[in-house]
Amino acid sequence: MSKLKLDLHDIFNKGDLIDKALHNIINEAVKKKIDTVEIIPGKGTGQLKKRVIRFLNEPETKKLYKRYKVDNINFGKIEVFF
């Protein structure tokens, strides 16, 4: 099983970089036929996590993956399955 990881801690307050990083990781996963992408928005206030989920629910993005899961144990992790 192949997996990519995106940690958003370093760019949590840079909106344009967040969007670019999310697009890049999803596109890379599709291109390289990766099984899973692990996105780490961190725990914080939850705003970054909500932003990632909004991104994943956009129609153009949603058609690229099968499903995503918010980790119930580690609340600062979202897994996207292809």
Side-chain angles (χ1 to χ4, degrees), residues 51-81:
R51 182 181 188 141
V52 171
I53 291 171
R54 274 196 307 272
F55 167 80
L56 291 173
N57 285 322
E58 289 175 0
E60 288 298 309
T61 306
K62 204 170 189 171
K63 67 183 181 182
L64 298 174
Y65 65 90
K66 291 180 183 162
R67 66 184 178 90
Y68 71 86
K69 179 180 96 175
V70 177
D71 195 315
N72 291 332
I73 296 166
N74 179 356
F75 296 107
K77 179 171 87 171
I78 299 168
E79 289 182 296
V80 185
F81 303 97

PDB file of all heavy atoms in Angstrom, residues 51-81:
ATOM      1  N   ARG A  51     -11.287  23.595   6.881  1.00  0.00           N
ATOM      2  CA  ARG A  51     -10.894  24.048   5.549  1.00  0.00           C
ATOM      3  C   ARG A  51     -10.516  22.858   4.668  1.00  0.00           C
ATOM      4  O   ARG A  51     -10.878  22.793   3.498  1.00  0.00           O
ATOM      5  CB  ARG A  51      -9.721  25.016   5.671  1.00  0.00           C
ATOM      6  CG  ARG A  51      -9.287  25.577   4.352  1.00  0.00           C
ATOM      7  CD  ARG A  51      -8.110  26.494   4.522  1.00  0.00           C
ATOM      8  NE  ARG A  51      -7.850  27.145   3.256  1.00  0.00           N
ATOM      9  CZ  ARG A  51      -7.495  28.392   3.139  1.00  0.00           C
ATOM     10  NH1 ARG A  51      -7.352  29.144   4.194  1.00  0.00           N
ATOM     11  NH2 ARG A  51      -7.263  28.901   1.949  1.00  0.00           N
ATOM     12  N   VAL A  52      -9.775  21.901   5.238  1.00  0.00           N
ATOM     13  CA  VAL A  52      -9.384  20.702   4.480  1.00  0.00           C
ATOM     14  C   VAL A  52     -10.625  19.914   4.075  1.00  0.00           C
ATOM     15  O   VAL A  52     -10.748  19.476   2.930  1.00  0.00           O
ATOM     16  CB  VAL A  52      -8.415  19.820   5.307  1.00  0.00           C
ATOM     17  CG1 VAL A  52      -8.194  18.478   4.624  1.00  0.00           C
ATOM     18  CG2 VAL A  52      -7.093  20.531   5.537  1.00  0.00           C
ATOM     19  N   ILE A  53     -11.567  19.760   4.983  1.00  0.00           N
ATOM     20  CA  ILE A  53     -12.797  19.016   4.680  1.00  0.00           C
ATOM     21  C   ILE A  53     -13.620  19.742   3.617  1.00  0.00           C
ATOM     22  O   ILE A  53     -14.158  19.104   2.702  1.00  0.00           O
ATOM     23  CB  ILE A  53     -13.601  18.760   5.967  1.00  0.00           C
ATOM     24  CG1 ILE A  53     -12.831  17.745   6.830  1.00  0.00           C
ATOM     25  CG2 ILE A  53     -15.011  18.256   5.660  1.00  0.00           C
ATOM     26  CD1 ILE A  53     -13.374  17.545   8.222  1.00  0.00           C
ATOM     27  N   ARG A  54     -13.688  21.074   3.686  1.00  0.00           N
ATOM     28  CA  ARG A  54     -14.382  21.837   2.633  1.00  0.00           C
ATOM     29  C   ARG A  54     -13.719  21.592   1.280  1.00  0.00           C
ATOM     30  O   ARG A  54     -14.387  21.388   0.264  1.00  0.00           O
ATOM     31  CB  ARG A  54     -14.369  23.340   2.940  1.00  0.00           C
ATOM     32  CG  ARG A  54     -15.491  23.793   3.823  1.00  0.00           C
ATOM     33  CD  ARG A  54     -15.681  25.309   3.794  1.00  0.00           C
ATOM     34  NE  ARG A  54     -14.471  26.059   4.067  1.00  0.00           N
ATOM     35  CZ  ARG A  54     -14.047  26.419   5.273  1.00  0.00           C
ATOM     36  NH1 ARG A  54     -14.738  26.095   6.344  1.00  0.00           N
ATOM     37  NH2 ARG A  54     -12.933  27.096   5.421  1.00  0.00           N
ATOM     38  N   PHE A  55     -12.382  21.597   1.267  1.00  0.00           N
ATOM     39  CA  PHE A  55     -11.635  21.329   0.037  1.00  0.00           C
ATOM     40  C   PHE A  55     -11.970  19.935  -0.506  1.00  0.00           C
ATOM     41  O   PHE A  55     -12.233  19.765  -1.689  1.00  0.00           O
ATOM     42  CB  PHE A  55     -10.128  21.451   0.299  1.00  0.00           C
ATOM     43  CG  PHE A  55      -9.283  20.904  -0.816  1.00  0.00           C
ATOM     44  CD1 PHE A  55      -9.053  21.660  -1.958  1.00  0.00           C
ATOM     45  CD2 PHE A  55      -8.718  19.639  -0.736  1.00  0.00           C
ATOM     46  CE1 PHE A  55      -8.279  21.147  -2.997  1.00  0.00           C
ATOM     47  CE2 PHE A  55      -7.951  19.126  -1.763  1.00  0.00           C
ATOM     48  CZ  PHE A  55      -7.737  19.890  -2.899  1.00  0.00           C
ATOM     49  N   LEU A  56     -11.979  18.941   0.386  1.00  0.00           N
ATOM     50  CA  LEU A  56     -12.260  17.568  -0.040  1.00  0.00           C
ATOM     51  C   LEU A  56     -13.686  17.404  -0.551  1.00  0.00           C
ATOM     52  O   LEU A  56     -13.952  16.535  -1.380  1.00  0.00           O
ATOM     53  CB  LEU A  56     -12.003  16.594   1.115  1.00  0.00           C
ATOM     54  CG  LEU A  56     -10.539  16.428   1.523  1.00  0.00           C
ATOM     55  CD1 LEU A  56     -10.431  15.587   2.788  1.00  0.00           C
ATOM     56  CD2 LEU A  56      -9.715  15.832   0.389  1.00  0.00           C
ATOM     57  N   ASN A  57     -14.595  18.236  -0.081  1.00  0.00           N
ATOM     58  CA  ASN A  57     -15.994  18.145  -0.499  1.00  0.00           C
ATOM     59  C   ASN A  57     -16.322  18.975  -1.739  1.00  0.00           C
ATOM     60  O   ASN A  57     -17.449  18.925  -2.228  1.00  0.00           O
ATOM     61  CB  ASN A  57     -16.923  18.528   0.653  1.00  0.00           C
ATOM     62  CG  ASN A  57     -17.004  17.427   1.690  1.00  0.00           C
ATOM     63  OD1 ASN A  57     -17.018  16.252   1.357  1.00  0.00           O
ATOM     64  ND2 ASN A  57     -17.030  17.809   2.945  1.00  0.00           N
ATOM     65  N   GLU A  58     -15.352  19.727  -2.256  1.00  0.00           N
ATOM     66  CA  GLU A  58     -15.578  20.473  -3.497  1.00  0.00           C
ATOM     67  C   GLU A  58     -15.796  19.456  -4.623  1.00  0.00           C
ATOM     68  O   GLU A  58     -15.074  18.462  -4.713  1.00  0.00           O
ATOM     69  CB  GLU A  58     -14.372  21.348  -3.831  1.00  0.00           C
ATOM     70  CG  GLU A  58     -14.205  22.524  -2.906  1.00  0.00           C
ATOM     71  CD  GLU A  58     -12.927  23.309  -3.184  1.00  0.00           C
ATOM     72  OE1 GLU A  58     -12.155  22.948  -4.100  1.00  0.00           O
ATOM     73  OE2 GLU A  58     -12.697  24.280  -2.455  1.00  0.00           O
ATOM     74  N   PRO A  59     -16.800  19.697  -5.483  1.00  0.00           N
ATOM     75  CA  PRO A  59     -17.121  18.727  -6.537  1.00  0.00           C
ATOM     76  C   PRO A  59     -15.923  18.311  -7.400  1.00  0.00           C
ATOM     77  O   PRO A  59     -15.763  17.134  -7.721  1.00  0.00           O
ATOM     78  CB  PRO A  59     -18.171  19.449  -7.377  1.00  0.00           C
ATOM     79  CG  PRO A  59     -18.809  20.406  -6.426  1.00  0.00           C
ATOM     80  CD  PRO A  59     -17.713  20.825  -5.479  1.00  0.00           C
ATOM     81  N   GLU A  60     -15.062  19.267  -7.763  1.00  0.00           N
ATOM     82  CA  GLU A  60     -13.909  18.948  -8.613  1.00  0.00           C
ATOM     83  C   GLU A  60     -12.913  18.037  -7.899  1.00  0.00           C
ATOM     84  O   GLU A  60     -12.258  17.213  -8.530  1.00  0.00           O
ATOM     85  CB  GLU A  60     -13.205  20.235  -9.071  1.00  0.00           C
ATOM     86  CG  GLU A  60     -14.000  21.012 -10.099  1.00  0.00           C
ATOM     87  CD  GLU A  60     -14.227  20.219 -11.374  1.00  0.00           C
ATOM     88  OE1 GLU A  60     -13.264  19.691 -11.946  1.00  0.00           O
ATOM     89  OE2 GLU A  60     -15.390  20.112 -11.800  1.00  0.00           O
ATOM     90  N   THR A  61     -12.794  18.202  -6.596  1.00  0.00           N
ATOM     91  CA  THR A  61     -11.864  17.371  -5.815  1.00  0.00           C
ATOM     92  C   THR A  61     -12.491  16.022  -5.489  1.00  0.00           C
ATOM     93  O   THR A  61     -11.840  14.985  -5.585  1.00  0.00           O
ATOM     94  CB  THR A  61     -11.484  18.090  -4.500  1.00  0.00           C
ATOM     95  OG1 THR A  61     -10.982  19.389  -4.810  1.00  0.00           O
ATOM     96  CG2 THR A  61     -10.441  17.311  -3.720  1.00  0.00           C
ATOM     97  N   LYS A  62     -13.774  16.063  -5.144  1.00  0.00           N
ATOM     98  CA  LYS A  62     -14.487  14.860  -4.696  1.00  0.00           C
ATOM     99  C   LYS A  62     -14.456  13.736  -5.729  1.00  0.00           C
ATOM    100  O   LYS A  62     -14.413  12.562  -5.370  1.00  0.00           O
ATOM    101  CB  LYS A  62     -15.931  15.241  -4.359  1.00  0.00           C
ATOM    102  CG  LYS A  62     -16.597  14.320  -3.399  1.00  0.00           C
ATOM    103  CD  LYS A  62     -17.908  14.912  -2.940  1.00  0.00           C
ATOM    104  CE  LYS A  62     -18.446  14.082  -1.814  1.00  0.00           C
ATOM    105  NZ  LYS A  62     -19.585  14.685  -1.170  1.00  0.00           N
ATOM    106  N   LYS A  63     -14.451  14.090  -6.990  1.00  0.00           N
ATOM    107  CA  LYS A  63     -14.461  13.064  -8.037  1.00  0.00           C
ATOM    108  C   LYS A  63     -13.104  12.371  -8.208  1.00  0.00           C
ATOM    109  O   LYS A  63     -13.008  11.372  -8.909  1.00  0.00           O
ATOM    110  CB  LYS A  63     -14.930  13.659  -9.367  1.00  0.00           C
ATOM    111  CG  LYS A  63     -13.997  14.656  -9.983  1.00  0.00           C
ATOM    112  CD  LYS A  63     -14.599  15.240 -11.247  1.00  0.00           C
ATOM    113  CE  LYS A  63     -13.633  16.231 -11.886  1.00  0.00           C
ATOM    114  NZ  LYS A  63     -14.211  16.846 -13.069  1.00  0.00           N
ATOM    115  N   LEU A  64     -12.057  12.870  -7.527  1.00  0.00           N
ATOM    116  CA  LEU A  64     -10.719  12.312  -7.682  1.00  0.00           C
ATOM    117  C   LEU A  64     -10.396  11.194  -6.691  1.00  0.00           C
ATOM    118  O   LEU A  64      -9.440  10.462  -6.882  1.00  0.00           O
ATOM    119  CB  LEU A  64      -9.668  13.428  -7.538  1.00  0.00           C
ATOM    120  CG  LEU A  64      -9.747  14.552  -8.572  1.00  0.00           C
ATOM    121  CD1 LEU A  64      -8.747  15.642  -8.231  1.00  0.00           C
ATOM    122  CD2 LEU A  64      -9.522  14.017  -9.982  1.00  0.00           C
ATOM    123  N   TYR A  65     -11.175  11.083  -5.615  1.00  0.00           N
ATOM    124  CA  TYR A  65     -10.885  10.068  -4.590  1.00  0.00           C
ATOM    125  C   TYR A  65     -12.156   9.292  -4.254  1.00  0.00           C
ATOM    126  O   TYR A  65     -13.255   9.702  -4.605  1.00  0.00           O
ATOM    127  CB  TYR A  65     -10.296  10.719  -3.332  1.00  0.00           C
ATOM    128  CG  TYR A  65     -11.248  11.641  -2.607  1.00  0.00           C
ATOM    129  CD1 TYR A  65     -12.080  11.157  -1.604  1.00  0.00           C
ATOM    130  CD2 TYR A  65     -11.331  12.982  -2.922  1.00  0.00           C
ATOM    131  CE1 TYR A  65     -12.970  11.988  -0.947  1.00  0.00           C
ATOM    132  CE2 TYR A  65     -12.213  13.820  -2.274  1.00  0.00           C
ATOM    133  CZ  TYR A  65     -13.026  13.318  -1.283  1.00  0.00           C
ATOM    134  OH  TYR A  65     -13.913  14.143  -0.643  1.00  0.00           O
ATOM    135  N   LYS A  66     -11.996   8.168  -3.536  1.00  0.00           N
ATOM    136  CA  LYS A  66     -13.149   7.330  -3.173  1.00  0.00           C
ATOM    137  C   LYS A  66     -13.850   7.838  -1.921  1.00  0.00           C
ATOM    138  O   LYS A  66     -15.065   7.973  -1.881  1.00  0.00           O
ATOM    139  CB  LYS A  66     -12.705   5.882  -2.960  1.00  0.00           C
ATOM    140  CG  LYS A  66     -12.274   5.198  -4.232  1.00  0.00           C
ATOM    141  CD  LYS A  66     -11.838   3.774  -3.976  1.00  0.00           C
ATOM    142  CE  LYS A  66     -11.341   3.158  -5.274  1.00  0.00           C
ATOM    143  NZ  LYS A  66     -10.526   1.983  -5.074  1.00  0.00           N
ATOM    144  N   ARG A  67     -13.055   8.058  -0.854  1.00  0.00           N
ATOM    145  CA  ARG A  67     -13.640   8.519   0.406  1.00  0.00           C
ATOM    146  C   ARG A  67     -12.544   9.097   1.283  1.00  0.00           C
ATOM    147  O   ARG A  67     -11.362   8.894   1.022  1.00  0.00           O
ATOM    148  CB  ARG A  67     -14.344   7.380   1.141  1.00  0.00           C
ATOM    149  CG  ARG A  67     -13.414   6.288   1.628  1.00  0.00           C
ATOM    150  CD  ARG A  67     -14.150   5.119   2.275  1.00  0.00           C
ATOM    151  NE  ARG A  67     -13.225   4.076   2.677  1.00  0.00           N
ATOM    152  CZ  ARG A  67     -12.632   3.996   3.857  1.00  0.00           C
ATOM    153  NH1 ARG A  67     -12.892   4.884   4.792  1.00  0.00           N
ATOM    154  NH2 ARG A  67     -11.798   3.018   4.138  1.00  0.00           N
ATOM    155  N   TYR A  68     -12.971   9.806   2.344  1.00  0.00           N
ATOM    156  CA  TYR A  68     -12.000  10.257   3.336  1.00  0.00           C
ATOM    157  C   TYR A  68     -12.517   9.916   4.717  1.00  0.00           C
ATOM    158  O   TYR A  68     -13.700   9.675   4.909  1.00  0.00           O
ATOM    159  CB  TYR A  68     -11.694  11.758   3.211  1.00  0.00           C
ATOM    160  CG  TYR A  68     -12.792  12.692   3.629  1.00  0.00           C
ATOM    161  CD1 TYR A  68     -12.928  13.082   4.959  1.00  0.00           C
ATOM    162  CD2 TYR A  68     -13.695  13.202   2.700  1.00  0.00           C
ATOM    163  CE1 TYR A  68     -13.948  13.956   5.345  1.00  0.00           C
ATOM    164  CE2 TYR A  68     -14.696  14.061   3.074  1.00  0.00           C
ATOM    165  CZ  TYR A  68     -14.817  14.437   4.400  1.00  0.00           C
ATOM    166  OH  TYR A  68     -15.817  15.292   4.782  1.00  0.00           O
ATOM    167  N   LYS A  69     -11.584   9.870   5.665  1.00  0.00           N
ATOM    168  CA  LYS A  69     -11.934   9.505   7.034  1.00  0.00           C
ATOM    169  C   LYS A  69     -11.208  10.438   7.989  1.00  0.00           C
ATOM    170  O   LYS A  69      -9.999  10.636   7.876  1.00  0.00           O
ATOM    171  CB  LYS A  69     -11.517   8.058   7.297  1.00  0.00           C
ATOM    172  CG  LYS A  69     -11.809   7.563   8.702  1.00  0.00           C
ATOM    173  CD  LYS A  69     -11.380   6.118   8.886  1.00  0.00           C
ATOM    174  CE  LYS A  69     -10.019   6.123   9.513  1.00  0.00           C
ATOM    175  NZ  LYS A  69      -9.487   4.839   9.875  1.00  0.00           N
ATOM    176  N   VAL A  70     -11.983  11.001   8.920  1.00  0.00           N
ATOM    177  CA  VAL A  70     -11.392  11.787   9.992  1.00  0.00           C
ATOM    178  C   VAL A  70     -11.071  10.803  11.107  1.00  0.00           C
ATOM    179  O   VAL A  70     -11.937  10.056  11.550  1.00  0.00           O
ATOM    180  CB  VAL A  70     -12.371  12.880  10.474  1.00  0.00           C
ATOM    181  CG1 VAL A  70     -11.783  13.660  11.639  1.00  0.00           C
ATOM    182  CG2 VAL A  70     -12.735  13.807   9.321  1.00  0.00           C
ATOM    183  N   ASP A  71      -9.831  10.770  11.523  1.00  0.00           N
ATOM    184  CA  ASP A  71      -9.380   9.812  12.532  1.00  0.00           C
ATOM    185  C   ASP A  71     -10.037  10.104  13.879  1.00  0.00           C
ATOM    186  O   ASP A  71      -9.965  11.218  14.389  1.00  0.00           O
ATOM    187  CB  ASP A  71      -7.856   9.884  12.650  1.00  0.00           C
ATOM    188  CG  ASP A  71      -7.270   8.697  13.378  1.00  0.00           C
ATOM    189  OD1 ASP A  71      -7.815   8.320  14.430  1.00  0.00           O
ATOM    190  OD2 ASP A  71      -6.258   8.157  12.903  1.00  0.00           O
ATOM    191  N   ASN A  72     -10.711   9.123  14.446  1.00  0.00           N
ATOM    192  CA  ASN A  72     -11.398   9.291  15.730  1.00  0.00           C
ATOM    193  C   ASN A  72     -10.448   9.276  16.919  1.00  0.00           C
ATOM    194  O   ASN A  72     -10.793   9.754  17.992  1.00  0.00           O
ATOM    195  CB  ASN A  72     -12.448   8.190  15.920  1.00  0.00           C
ATOM    196  CG  ASN A  72     -13.614   8.343  14.976  1.00  0.00           C
ATOM    197  OD1 ASN A  72     -13.932   9.452  14.552  1.00  0.00           O
ATOM    198  ND2 ASN A  72     -14.249   7.250  14.616  1.00  0.00           N
ATOM    199  N   ILE A  73      -9.265   8.719  16.724  1.00  0.00           N
ATOM    200  CA  ILE A  73      -8.288   8.659  17.819  1.00  0.00           C
ATOM    201  C   ILE A  73      -7.360   9.876  17.757  1.00  0.00           C
ATOM    202  O   ILE A  73      -7.148  10.552  18.742  1.00  0.00           O
ATOM    203  CB  ILE A  73      -7.484   7.348  17.748  1.00  0.00           C
ATOM    204  CG1 ILE A  73      -8.451   6.168  17.958  1.00  0.00           C
ATOM    205  CG2 ILE A  73      -6.371   7.332  18.784  1.00  0.00           C
ATOM    206  CD1 ILE A  73      -7.877   4.822  17.584  1.00  0.00           C
ATOM    207  N   ASN A  74      -6.824  10.144  16.574  1.00  0.00           N
ATOM    208  CA  ASN A  74      -5.968  11.312  16.376  1.00  0.00           C
ATOM    209  C   ASN A  74      -6.782  12.345  15.613  1.00  0.00           C
ATOM    210  O   ASN A  74      -6.856  12.321  14.398  1.00  0.00           O
ATOM    211  CB  ASN A  74      -4.705  10.923  15.593  1.00  0.00           C
ATOM    212  CG  ASN A  74      -3.805  12.098  15.331  1.00  0.00           C
ATOM    213  OD1 ASN A  74      -4.124  13.237  15.650  1.00  0.00           O
ATOM    214  ND2 ASN A  74      -2.664  11.825  14.740  1.00  0.00           N
ATOM    215  N   PHE A  75      -7.390  13.284  16.326  1.00  0.00           N
ATOM    216  CA  PHE A  75      -8.295  14.257  15.709  1.00  0.00           C
ATOM    217  C   PHE A  75      -7.585  15.205  14.747  1.00  0.00           C
ATOM    218  O   PHE A  75      -8.218  15.911  13.997  1.00  0.00           O
ATOM    219  CB  PHE A  75      -9.033  15.046  16.789  1.00  0.00           C
ATOM    220  CG  PHE A  75      -9.938  14.180  17.625  1.00  0.00           C
ATOM    221  CD1 PHE A  75      -9.600  13.864  18.934  1.00  0.00           C
ATOM    222  CD2 PHE A  75     -11.105  13.667  17.109  1.00  0.00           C
ATOM    223  CE1 PHE A  75     -10.418  13.066  19.709  1.00  0.00           C
ATOM    224  CE2 PHE A  75     -11.933  12.856  17.871  1.00  0.00           C
ATOM    225  CZ  PHE A  75     -11.587  12.559  19.178  1.00  0.00           C
ATOM    226  N   GLY A  76      -6.268  15.212  14.760  1.00  0.00           N
ATOM    227  CA  GLY A  76      -5.513  16.086  13.881  1.00  0.00           C
ATOM    228  C   GLY A  76      -5.087  15.414  12.593  1.00  0.00           C
ATOM    229  O   GLY A  76      -4.150  15.854  11.951  1.00  0.00           O
ATOM    230  N   LYS A  77      -5.782  14.333  12.197  1.00  0.00           N
ATOM    231  CA  LYS A  77      -5.398  13.585  10.991  1.00  0.00           C
ATOM    232  C   LYS A  77      -6.632  13.257  10.146  1.00  0.00           C
ATOM    233  O   LYS A  77      -7.651  12.856  10.671  1.00  0.00           O
ATOM    234  CB  LYS A  77      -4.679  12.295  11.393  1.00  0.00           C
ATOM    235  CG  LYS A  77      -4.254  11.439  10.225  1.00  0.00           C
ATOM    236  CD  LYS A  77      -3.365  10.298  10.658  1.00  0.00           C
ATOM    237  CE  LYS A  77      -4.164   9.101  11.078  1.00  0.00           C
ATOM    238  NZ  LYS A  77      -3.350   7.916  11.313  1.00  0.00           N
ATOM    239  N   ILE A  78      -6.489  13.431   8.838  1.00  0.00           N
ATOM    240  CA  ILE A  78      -7.527  13.076   7.876  1.00  0.00           C
ATOM    241  C   ILE A  78      -6.882  12.159   6.843  1.00  0.00           C
ATOM    242  O   ILE A  78      -5.819  12.500   6.290  1.00  0.00           O
ATOM    243  CB  ILE A  78      -8.116  14.312   7.181  1.00  0.00           C
ATOM    244  CG1 ILE A  78      -8.752  15.245   8.217  1.00  0.00           C
ATOM    245  CG2 ILE A  78      -9.128  13.920   6.114  1.00  0.00           C
ATOM    246  CD1 ILE A  78      -9.102  16.624   7.678  1.00  0.00           C
ATOM    247  N   GLU A  79      -7.495  11.025   6.586  1.00  0.00           N
ATOM    248  CA  GLU A  79      -6.987  10.099   5.574  1.00  0.00           C
ATOM    249  C   GLU A  79      -7.906  10.141   4.358  1.00  0.00           C
ATOM    250  O   GLU A  79      -9.129  10.091   4.492  1.00  0.00           O
ATOM    251  CB  GLU A  79      -6.899   8.681   6.109  1.00  0.00           C
ATOM    252  CG  GLU A  79      -5.808   8.499   7.129  1.00  0.00           C
ATOM    253  CD  GLU A  79      -5.719   7.061   7.605  1.00  0.00           C
ATOM    254  OE1 GLU A  79      -6.697   6.585   8.220  1.00  0.00           O
ATOM    255  OE2 GLU A  79      -4.673   6.434   7.364  1.00  0.00           O
ATOM    256  N   VAL A  80      -7.307  10.222   3.176  1.00  0.00           N
ATOM    257  CA  VAL A  80      -8.044  10.243   1.920  1.00  0.00           C
ATOM    258  C   VAL A  80      -7.679   8.959   1.166  1.00  0.00           C
ATOM    259  O   VAL A  80      -6.501   8.670   0.968  1.00  0.00           O
ATOM    260  CB  VAL A  80      -7.679  11.483   1.077  1.00  0.00           C
ATOM    261  CG1 VAL A  80      -8.545  11.540  -0.174  1.00  0.00           C
ATOM    262  CG2 VAL A  80      -7.822  12.758   1.890  1.00  0.00           C
ATOM    263  N   PHE A  81      -8.692   8.213   0.763  1.00  0.00           N
ATOM    264  CA  PHE A  81      -8.483   6.927   0.081  1.00  0.00           C
ATOM    265  C   PHE A  81      -8.837   7.027  -1.391  1.00  0.00           C
ATOM    266  O   PHE A  81      -9.866   7.582  -1.754  1.00  0.00           O
ATOM    267  CB  PHE A  81      -9.331   5.848   0.757  1.00  0.00           C
ATOM    268  CG  PHE A  81      -9.034   5.697   2.226  1.00  0.00           C
ATOM    269  CD1 PHE A  81      -9.819   6.329   3.179  1.00  0.00           C
ATOM    270  CD2 PHE A  81      -7.955   4.945   2.649  1.00  0.00           C
ATOM    271  CE1 PHE A  81      -9.555   6.217   4.525  1.00  0.00           C
ATOM    272  CE2 PHE A  81      -7.670   4.813   4.005  1.00  0.00           C
ATOM    273  CZ  PHE A  81      -8.467   5.452   4.942  1.00  0.00           C
TER     274      PHE A  81
END
